[in-house]
Amino acid sequence: MLYLVVFAGVGLLLSALGIYGVLAYSVARRTREIGIRMAVGAERRHVLAMVMKEGARLVAVGIAVGVIAAFWLTRLPAAAII
């Protein structure tokens, strides 16, 4: 049981690092756009909300794909045995 907890923790850490990397890359690419938005008058909270929505979208897609894959992969061995 301890191995399962350790592997789950490592998986969570790796996924968090992956999301951080993708968001950091996205923000680095959009630095000019963010600067222009701020110069035109966008509030800091609106820019932050824009970035957070992008991150939430990535998390939602990851969860959806993970749940579907987990459901399908748990059914696969049962079907192979029968």
Side-chain angles (χ1 to χ4, degrees):
M1 186 67 162
L2 179 62
Y3 289 123
L4 184 62
V5 172
V6 170
F7 282 129
V10 170
L12 183 63
L13 178 68
L14 288 174
S15 65
L17 286 173
I19 291 172
Y20 170 78
V22 170
L23 275 178
Y25 177 73
S26 173
V27 169
R29 282 188 45 147
R30 296 174 70 182
T31 301
R32 269 191 142 159
E33 175 192 349
I34 292 170
I36 291 170
R37 285 178 185 265
M38 295 291 286
V40 171
E43 293 182 17
R44 183 179 175 147
R45 62 187 168 109
H46 290 119
V47 173
L48 181 62
M50 176 182 68
V51 173
M52 294 303 286
K53 282 180 189 175
E54 185 176 345
R57 189 176 313 125
L58 286 172
V59 170
V61 169
I63 288 173
V65 169
V67 166
I68 291 169
F71 181 76
W72 183 73
L73 288 172
T74 56
R75 302 290 183 228
L76 187 64
I81 293 173
I82 297 175

